[in-house]
Amino acid sequence: MLIDADTANEIDDLFAIVRALREPSFEIAALSSAQWHNRISPENTVELSQRMNEDLLRLAARQDIPAPMGAEMIMGKPWGGDEPRDSPAARMIIAEAMATRTGRLPVVSIGATTNVASALKMKPEIRDRISCYLMGGHYEASTGVWNKDEFNVRNDLNAFNYLLNLDGLDLHIMPATTCRHLVFEREAAMKRLNAGGPLAGYLAARWIAHAPESTKWIMWDLALIEAIAKPELAEESKCKTPPENQQREVWVYTSIDARAMEADFWRAAGW
């Protein structure tokens, strides 16, 4: 598995990464950094995510896991296009996919999908060697209606559309509509984190620094990691892509057991 994260963007990315590092069934080949380049972000978003990824791996004593840097800018141009963004992260995805001999390599994007989409564009042969898991967009299961007005998608709409349009790509989407139900209360979380070690303290400090007034937080990205680690805690259905995209079926998570996911996180983290 490869994990691609815009870690410095919010809070939940860190919880998702920690959960993945604590999952014994995961063999993590790399943790790469993703951009979150928008009009209100700093200029060096991927560098900030890179530093935080390296901090987490050091505190978790997992510096055996490579941490390649992703692209700072979106795929294509602001008005469209699918020109890839070369980066160490995209090349790592390609190298790991090409080294896979059986099954498909899971590539998990919990940020903009610039790096995985660029890897697929740069080396089309990896399409049949990987499974893409991403958190992004909105999807109403009762109506089958998509809405792309969501943070991760908006940070690289070109990349998201490229993945939707890539016929034959095994694509699994955790929409914000579904994962918004996984909410951590700050007071309860802080009690656990403050009683943990340096890694737990890093997560607590990040919450205070990023959102000091927030008494609760939606753990968007953690929901995707939990759904992969514990498939019984989520429901996944085959759904049609948006009408403006290549018409095909992709997997969409339509419900989660939020309470069980929260309990599983603390159990796995050991705090």
Side-chain angles (χ1 to χ4, degrees):
M1 170 184 291
L2 286 90
I3 300 174
D4 191 56
D6 59 345
T7 317
N9 165 49
E10 288 189 328
I11 300 168
D12 49 292
D13 304 76
L14 285 76
F15 285 78
I17 291 167
V18 167
R19 177 63 185 90
L21 293 173
R22 291 286 200 256
E23 176 53 48
S25 69
F26 288 177
E27 183 179 345
I28 302 175
L31 170 62
S32 57
S33 49
Q35 59 86 14
W36 40 286
H37 204 80
N38 56 58
R39 64 184 181 84
I40 60 172
S41 66
E43 292 183 359
N44 58 335
T45 61
V46 78
E47 292 180 12
L48 296 174
S49 293
Q50 180 70 21
R51 288 179 212 158
M52 207 163 277
N53 283 352
E54 292 172 0
D55 285 347
L56 290 170
L57 293 175
R58 174 176 51 80
L59 291 167
R62 291 304 311 271
Q63 288 174 297
D64 57 302
I65 298 174
M69 186 179 289
E72 179 63 62
M73 298 303 293
I74 65 169
M75 190 180 196
K77 304 293 191 299
W79 54 86
D82 59 9
E83 296 84 359
R85 293 287 176 181
D86 195 355
S87 69
R91 294 189 182 198
M92 175 69 79
I93 293 170
I94 292 170
E96 290 295 329
M98 294 304 294
T100 300
R101 292 289 172 258
T102 59
R104 291 175 182 262
L105 174 74
V107 180
V108 183
S109 296
I110 51 175
T113 54
T114 309
N115 297 325
V116 64
S118 293
L120 283 158
K121 180 68 175 181
M122 290 162 62
K123 190 77 169 177
E125 300 97 300
I126 70 171
R127 182 198 62 182
D128 299 327
R129 294 173 173 264
I130 69 172
S131 291
C132 286
Y133 291 82
L134 63 91
M135 187 269 127
H138 300 272
Y139 181 78
E140 292 293 343
S142 60
T143 59
V145 173
W146 290 86
N147 182 350
K148 296 176 183 175
D149 192 11
E150 182 274 329
F151 187 85
N152 285 349
V153 172
R154 285 295 181 187
N155 281 329
D156 199 336
L157 179 59
N158 295 337
F160 185 69
N161 279 328
Y162 183 80
L163 297 179
L164 287 172
N165 292 334
L166 193 54
D167 201 21
L169 175 67
D170 184 40
L171 182 58
H172 303 251
I173 300 173
M174 173 67 78
T177 326
T178 300
C179 59
R180 68 186 178 192
H181 300 291
L182 181 57
V183 180
F184 279 19
E185 298 288 339
R186 172 177 161 172
E187 184 177 354
M190 286 299 171
K191 284 181 181 178
R192 290 178 175 272
L193 294 173
N194 290 333
L199 181 59
Y202 190 88
L203 269 61
R206 177 58 180 167
W207 191 320
I208 298 299
H210 181 76
E213 305 301 321
S214 296
T215 59
K216 57 182 65 177
W217 196 265
I218 300 174
M219 294 293 169
W220 313 95
D221 299 328
L222 176 58
L224 177 57
I225 297 296
E226 284 286 353
I228 301 169
K230 301 291 181 182
E232 67 273 16
L233 301 184
E235 221 174 279
E236 207 178 10
S237 302
K238 277 282 187 77
C239 304
K240 289 184 178 178
T241 50
E244 66 273 18
N245 291 105
Q246 168 74 24
Q247 287 302 284
R248 67 189 191 97
E249 288 188 327
V250 297
W251 290 100
V252 179
Y253 289 100
T254 54
S255 69
I256 60 171
D257 187 337
R259 183 173 296 182
M261 283 186 171
E262 181 177 5
D264 183 71
F265 171 80
W266 294 117
R267 177 203 59 76
W271 301 324

